[in-house]
Amino acid sequence: MGSRMHDYLVRSLASLGCIVVLLLAATSGQDEICPAGFGYVVQYAGQLGTSGRSMTALLRLIRESSTYGPDIQLLNLTASLETDRRLRIHIKDANHPRWEIPNHVLPRPTTMTTMTTMAHQQEAPPQGPPPETTILTHPSSSLVFVLHHTAPFSFSVIRRHSTTPLTVTRLSTPLLSTANAAPCVFKPQFIQLSSSLPPSSHHLFGLGEHTKTSFRILENQTLTLWNSDTASSNLNLNLYGSHPFYMDLREEEDGKGMAHGVVWLSSNGMDVEYTGDRVTWRVIGGVVDLYVFEGPTPEMVIQQYTELVGRPAAVPYWAFGFHQCRWGYHDVNEVESVVAAYAKANIPLDVIWSDIDYMDGLKDFTLDPVNYPLDRMQRFVENLHKNGQRYVIILDPGISVNRKYETFIRGMQADVFIKRFGAPYLGVVWPGPVYYPDFINPAVVDFWSNEIVRFRKLLPFDGLWIDMNELSNFNTSSPAPFSTLDNPPYKINNGGSRRPINERTVPASAMHFGNITEYDAHNLNGYLEARATHAALIKATGERPFVLSRSTFVGSGKYTAHWTGDNEATWEDLAYSIPSILSFGLFGIPMVGADICGFGGNTNEELCRRWIQLGAFYPFARNHAAKGTLYHELYRWESVAASSRKVLGLRYRLLPYLYSLMCEAHMSGNPIARPLFFSFPEDTKTYRIDSQFLLGGGVMVSPILQPGATSVNIYVPAGNWFDLFNYSSTVSSTGNPVTLVAPLDRPYVHVREGNILAMQGEALTTAAARKTPFHLLVVLGRSVNSSGQVYLDDGVQLQMGSTEGQWSLAKFFADTLPSNQVIIRSSVINGQYALSQRWIIEKITVLGLEEGRKVKGYRMQSMVGGGRRNVYGLFTSSTCYGPFEMVEVSGLNQLIGEDFRLELNFS
């Protein structure tokens, strides 16, 4: 076919609203052009139930197309205002059930009337001319659903700005709109839906897991979701997890940014194409199950999203310490020497890890009897625990097929493995031939839990690292004869080259418990293993579990932390780690980090030094390296060791702050590491910042990411910012880029005015740091009062902040009064726990005072038993740094579990 005729047909079909696809003809080798579908029309629409919050519609196919298989003739659409800020849109085959993620697999609240919606044989359609639209709205809802009775049909989701009567012409720009986009296509193994976007004013974030050069999704990208054992050093390829969620942050006419979120809740493989003017989903199974989250702030979007899929799991306090791992530690002697070397170098180390080296024949739940003998390992772990340190080991899901291997024997007896052709499916991973536990099978929970409990009785490890759970397979199985599961008609862009979905994984035609195919459940494997492992650790330890999983899915944050996988020791991978970590914060997995100094390849001194300067402020901070690469523990180079002592020293001082952010994430879903626009959505310049991030709302990390850099360009949102390494160094900004000298031994970590940080002292372990006095850093604002809080518990109790738990929450406030007075006060909830630990505030440092303000006097009161006690004998000092004065009040010995009030009077 000539190129001119080819272009003419493409334009002609597109003008008819057809979805244009190019198919390579098997016989002629020529391109043939076929529409994938023509869409549907509304046959009936009406209210569902009596709540006024749900509607349903019957959709009839306009015209058949054979591309990617036969069309489904009738569809049932249900829209429901599940909460005042969450809308669900559900489209399915009206006559036949299809795969959907069961609620027992991914629990989520439902307040809609029901999903057993109207069947097409229910009440007769109303007489008279059909309406142009059907609108679903509710007085308490901020979202409106509009069904357009066009040919083909379309729908819009709109933010409602007022409670006045609604008409279509008065509604604002849609958050989601299939109008003016390609029509809906719905086939047995192919669904396509497209939503148009307003030009230039939108910014999309999310849709993972991919390594990207930018946090913001760039135009003309196809993001594929199909869990794959693909090294994260590869750009723009589908990686270990699938998160079909995005946040859309829009620049409004009034200059403010408003955010909303969208998730297509499907475990089927998909391509999501973003062309700049629209988002198009192409999914190879299941149903349309869209949720829209109204926001309108970025924080509220994530709160609404995690309310649906599950709040992030709380992790133990020790998990915020520094972690060391390497694939290739030869024996327990070498691991012991690494721990000793960290102590000798005076570098903090909380957790030592073992990769697969510890196993006997690389089999789970075993110890190498020569290099990691049981008695030596038991003494090693006992000594770690005596020193306040922890031990984490790796587990892979593949169970070695070995008739003498007890875990295999018990798995066969319990019949818990994934099957194909009626027998356990045989894959190949590290130990050789393996069977894979079927984590959908209820029996596997007991099997997996019992294996973990049994092994922990021998070796009391503290956490579990679950790897290779995409599922990874070193073999690629041939497609089953005549199977469209192993070879679906639409080829998602797997591996960036539309490679078969069976490549290096369990084949799609394999079967799980309940006749669920791997085709449908593939992306759930890592999520389900994390859930089972989380439960097993609770059973084994009775404490708050720590699980680190490579493969993740929607809702995985409820059970596991994550690291970004097999990166490389390159400057590019150093920079890419920031967008990856910020993305997982959006996905509801706030405990996330990248392998510091790089996993694959050989690092060098400068790169490793710069990487620990950044990695010290990842929520999860672990140094890890691949077998055969250069050793890069932090003590290997003196400049790296010196920098590590400095940056990890600050991290350990900030442990109470980081742990309090974990509590906030667990309670509300807010990420720990956040993009700048979370705190500054009105500043549209923050939408494109990929090389900086916030910890919480007011601590900004600005690393040096270039080799040989003598300066660094950072963006500074409006306000006064104080350097946490040097309080005398400040940056004042109205919202503009700033060029700073690049220190050799640290990044920039600034705290913004209006914040109060509760910090403790430096130490080599979190256990030791928790025993040091508190120091309050109060950063006054010129136009806002300052506040902060610290959450306190024992760091390991199962529930964080529960009504039965032992915990305290101390809130701090600082008010600047016109009468030359600053009042710093606290309000403590459940103070008894903090009092029982005898934690004290020893010092308060006040930053941000105007130059020349000197302390004239003070009044300190501690609220004890409903009364007040005056405190005397404090020491105050003032130091002038440029335009600001710093005041330090020491000798407090104030119990943090008691309310206090400190009045500072200035001349």
Side-chain angles (χ1 to χ4, degrees):
M1 184 184 293
S3 61
R4 291 184 180 179
M5 179 62 71
H6 174 281
D7 293 343
Y8 170 76
L9 286 174
V10 169
R11 290 194 302 271
S12 299
L13 286 167
S15 68
L16 294 173
C18 297
I19 303 167
V20 180
V21 296
L22 300 181
L23 298 177
L24 186 64
T27 53
S28 65
Q30 300 295 311
D31 287 344
E32 294 184 3
I33 301 176
C34 304
F38 297 92
Y40 294 77
V41 292
V42 178
Q43 183 166 314
Y44 170 82
Q47 180 173 303
L48 178 63
T50 59
S51 67
R53 302 184 70 96
S54 298
M55 64 155 290
T56 189
L58 186 68
L59 309 175
R60 178 174 49 81
L61 184 69
I62 293 175
R63 177 182 167 190
E64 292 187 359
S65 167
S66 61
T67 303
Y68 303 139
D71 294 283
I72 304 300
Q73 298 293 316
L74 291 172
L75 302 179
N76 180 235
L77 179 150
T78 304
S80 179
L81 300 166
E82 291 199 331
T83 71
D84 290 346
R85 295 184 182 272
R86 183 177 80 228
L87 168 71
R88 184 182 187 184
I89 303 161
H90 186 270
I91 305 175
K92 65 178 185 178
D93 186 332
N95 292 314
H96 301 97
R98 290 167 63 105
W99 164 254
E100 301 182 49
I101 302 173
N103 208 65
H104 71 268
V105 170
L106 180 61
R108 49 206 183 271
T110 54
T111 56
M112 58 192 307
T113 304
T114 179
M115 269 300 170
T116 59
T117 55
M118 175 199 84
H120 62 272
Q121 69 269 20
Q122 285 183 327
E123 59 184 280
Q127 300 299 313
E132 294 183 1
T133 60
T134 300
I135 298 177
L136 173 65
T137 183
H138 192 275
S140 67
S141 176
S142 55
L143 291 173
V144 178
F145 177 81
V146 181
L147 180 66
H148 304 277
H149 295 237
T150 50
F153 92 98
S154 64
F155 61 81
S156 301
V157 179
I158 298 162
R159 178 180 283 118
R160 183 176 184 176
H161 289 291
S162 70
T163 57
T164 56
L166 293 169
T167 63
V168 174
T169 57
R170 291 188 61 258
L171 295 171
S172 60
T173 302
L175 309 183
L176 192 70
S177 176
T178 63
N180 302 314
C184 173
V185 179
F186 206 109
K187 298 168 183 283
Q189 289 182 267
F190 181 75
I191 301 174
Q192 178 160 290
L193 197 68
S194 188
S195 175
S196 57
L197 295 165
S200 71
S201 66
H202 66 276
H203 304 265
L204 301 188
F205 308 88
L207 294 175
E209 178 180 8
H210 310 85
T211 299
K212 299 182 297 192
T213 59
S214 71
F215 178 42
R216 191 171 56 92
I217 299 173
L218 302 179
E219 293 183 10
N220 300 315
Q221 282 192 330
T222 297
L223 301 170
T224 299
L225 277 64
W226 182 255
N227 294 358
S228 172
D229 179 2
T230 298
S232 60
S233 54
N234 293 281
L235 280 174
N236 302 318
L237 300 185
N238 51 301
L239 299 178
Y240 316 105
S242 291
H243 296 272
F245 167 82
Y246 72 78
M247 178 186 290
D248 186 347
L249 183 56
R250 296 188 181 176
E251 303 174 33
E252 299 295 316
E253 293 180 359
D254 59 5
K256 296 180 179 179
M258 296 187 75
H260 68 274
V262 177
V263 66
W264 184 311
L265 194 57
S266 172
S267 57
N268 291 96
M270 68 175 73
D271 287 337
V272 187
E273 182 183 16
Y274 171 59
T275 55
D277 61 345
R278 69 194 63 229
V279 174
T280 301
W281 295 268
R282 298 184 182 95
V283 189
I284 59 173
V287 299
V288 176
D289 200 0
L290 285 168
Y291 291 84
V292 181
F293 310 93
E294 189 265 340
T297 67
E299 283 189 354
M300 292 176 70
V301 170
I302 303 307
Q303 290 166 9
Q304 293 155 19
Y305 177 56
T306 56
E307 178 186 32
L308 175 73
V309 303
R311 301 290 195 209
V315 300
Y317 198 95
W318 55 261
F320 284 97
F322 182 70
H323 303 244
Q324 176 61 50
C325 186
R326 178 180 176 84
W327 175 28
Y329 285 140
H330 179 261
D331 55 25
V332 64
N333 294 325
E334 186 173 17
V335 180
E336 286 178 326
S337 72
V338 170
V339 176
Y342 267 93
K344 182 178 179 180
N346 206 37
I347 299 172
L349 177 65
D350 256 86
V351 191
I352 190 74
W353 295 53
S354 282
D355 208 313
I356 56 177
D357 317 286
Y358 77 90
M359 299 176 181
D360 181 15
L362 306 180
K363 301 188 296 294
D364 285 345
F365 310 113
T366 65
L367 287 172
D368 180 338
V370 176
N371 296 316
Y372 290 84
L374 177 60
D375 59 338
R376 286 292 313 282
M377 289 298 291
Q378 288 173 333
R379 289 199 302 272
F380 168 61
V381 174
E382 182 181 6
N383 288 333
L384 285 176
H385 290 166
K386 286 180 179 178
N387 198 41
Q389 294 171 303
R390 303 284 180 154
Y391 183 52
V392 174
I393 60 171
I394 194 170
L395 290 176
D396 291 336
I399 301 300
S400 175
V401 177
N402 183 324
R403 305 298 172 183
K404 297 181 180 180
Y405 173 35
E406 292 183 359
T407 296
F408 170 77
I409 295 169
R410 288 187 288 267
M412 290 297 292
Q413 290 171 344
D415 190 21
V416 294
F417 296 117
I418 295 172
K419 293 181 171 61
R420 195 184 194 210
F421 308 136
Y425 170 73
L426 186 67
V428 176
V429 201
W430 298 116
V434 298
Y435 290 163
Y436 298 92
D438 175 8
F439 285 98
I440 293 179
N441 188 338
V444 88
V445 175
D446 286 338
F447 162 74
W448 192 247
S449 177
N450 290 339
E451 295 303 310
I452 289 172
V453 169
R454 181 179 282 108
F455 190 54
R456 193 178 183 277
K457 287 179 179 178
L458 296 176
L459 186 68
F461 52 82
D462 300 286
L464 287 172
W465 168 24
I466 51 177
D467 195 15
M468 310 293 285
N469 50 351
E470 292 73 31
L471 295 160
S472 178
N473 185 1
F474 296 167
N475 276 355
T476 297
S477 297
S478 300
F482 312 110
S483 170
T484 60
L485 297 178
D486 292 335
N487 187 26
Y490 175 77
K491 310 296 188 269
I492 58 175
N493 195 30
N494 187 26
S497 58
R498 303 197 182 277
R499 71 188 191 193
I501 59 174
N502 281 2
E503 189 167 312
R504 293 178 64 84
T505 189
V506 172
S509 57
M511 299 300 295
H512 292 261
F513 180 85
N515 291 321
I516 296 171
T517 64
E518 173 69 8
Y519 183 87
D520 290 325
H522 173 81
N523 288 338
L524 294 171
N525 284 306
Y527 162 83
L528 291 167
E529 186 190 9
R531 185 171 74 171
T533 306
H534 185 272
L537 274 176
I538 292 175
K539 180 178 178 181
T541 68
E543 295 182 346
R544 190 182 308 164
F546 177 76
V547 180
L548 183 79
S549 178
R550 189 169 75 174
S551 183
T552 60
F553 184 67
V554 172
S556 283
K558 189 175 180 180
Y559 307 107
T560 185
H562 176 66
W563 90 108
T564 61
D566 295 349
N567 60 8
E568 291 281 329
T570 69
W571 289 91
E572 291 80 9
D573 281 50
L574 169 66
Y576 300 156
S577 71
I578 297 176
S580 295
I581 285 165
L582 294 178
S583 292
F584 271 88
L586 301 187
F587 301 151
I589 307 179
M591 193 61 175
V592 58
D595 284 345
I596 293 169
C597 297
F599 175 74
N602 290 324
T603 193
N604 60 64
E605 182 175 1
E606 183 188 11
L607 175 59
C608 196
R609 185 176 73 246
R610 290 303 190 193
W611 210 318
I612 184 55
Q613 292 171 16
L614 168 60
F617 303 101
Y618 294 156
F620 170 62
R622 184 184 70 164
N623 180 298
H624 186 34
K627 195 172 187 176
T629 63
L630 191 71
Y631 280 78
H632 58 57
E633 290 81 6
L634 299 182
Y635 52 79
R636 298 286 178 177
W637 296 279
E638 180 48 42
S639 73
V640 177
S643 187
S644 299
R645 286 188 286 268
K646 176 169 282 191
V647 295
L648 290 174
L650 178 56
R651 179 187 180 90
Y652 275 59
R653 285 160 52 206
L654 289 171
L655 282 172
Y657 179 67
L658 293 171
Y659 191 62
S660 299
L661 293 177
M662 179 72 257
C663 180
E664 182 183 344
H666 180 58
M667 298 298 182
S668 70
N670 288 339
I672 297 172
R674 307 174 188 178
L676 269 59
F677 63 69
F678 261 57
S679 289
F680 305 96
E682 73 285 351
D683 183 353
T684 58
K685 294 189 286 294
T686 63
Y687 299 178
R688 297 174 182 268
I689 301 298
D690 302 309
S691 57
Q692 300 166 252
F693 59 94
L694 296 171
L695 291 173
V699 174
M700 182 170 67
V701 180
S702 306
I704 292 93
L705 303 173
Q706 299 296 326
T710 57
S711 62
V712 59
N713 297 316
I714 70 172
Y715 183 77
V716 182
N720 297 320
W721 296 80
F722 295 80
D723 190 340
L724 284 175
F725 288 104
N726 179 4
Y727 297 160
S728 67
S729 177
T730 63
V731 179
S732 298
S733 172
T734 57
N736 48 268
V738 175
T739 300
L740 301 173
V741 173
L744 291 175
D745 61 348
R746 66 178 181 90
Y748 282 98
V749 182
H750 290 94
V751 58
R752 188 177 185 268
E753 61 180 342
N755 287 276
I756 300 178
L757 303 181
M759 302 189 291
Q760 284 180 282
E762 297 182 20
L764 296 184
T765 64
T766 56
R770 282 169 62 87
K771 297 175 183 178
T772 62
F774 278 86
H775 168 207
L776 288 190
L777 183 66
V778 178
V779 189
L780 299 178
R782 291 181 175 176
S783 57
V784 295
N785 293 324
S786 301
S787 62
Q789 63 183 32
V790 61
Y791 172 82
L792 304 162
D793 65 13
D794 67 2
V796 295
Q797 63 184 355
L798 271 178
Q799 299 298 323
M800 187 178 238
S802 68
T803 55
E804 299 83 13
Q806 296 295 308
W807 57 272
S808 299
L809 179 67
K811 298 183 177 183
F812 306 104
F813 308 92
D815 307 316
T816 304
L817 304 182
S819 57
N820 287 331
Q821 189 179 63
V822 172
I823 297 176
I824 302 167
R825 55 191 173 86
S826 73
S827 175
V828 183
I829 301 171
N830 288 343
Q832 287 302 314
Y833 176 74
L835 291 173
S836 72
Q837 302 301 303
R838 306 299 297 174
W839 280 314
I840 64 166
I841 301 171
E842 195 277 332
K843 182 172 64 174
I844 296 176
T845 301
V846 183
L847 304 178
L849 287 162
E850 293 180 5
E851 180 184 3
R853 304 281 292 275
K854 303 296 182 183
V855 178
K856 183 172 62 175
Y858 70 85
R859 184 186 183 192
M860 176 72 177
Q861 292 182 319
S862 180
M863 287 54 170
V864 183
R868 298 190 178 192
R869 173 174 56 86
N870 290 322
V871 180
Y872 303 97
L874 307 184
F875 300 94
T876 63
S877 62
S878 298
T879 309
C880 183
Y881 295 113
F884 299 105
E885 199 86 23
M886 182 181 77
V887 170
E888 190 170 281
V889 183
S890 57
L892 289 168
N893 289 317
Q894 168 65 42
L895 288 168
I896 200 169
E898 292 178 348
D899 294 352
F900 73 86
R901 177 185 175 92
L902 172 63
E903 299 175 6
L904 293 174
N905 300 306
F906 296 91
S907 58

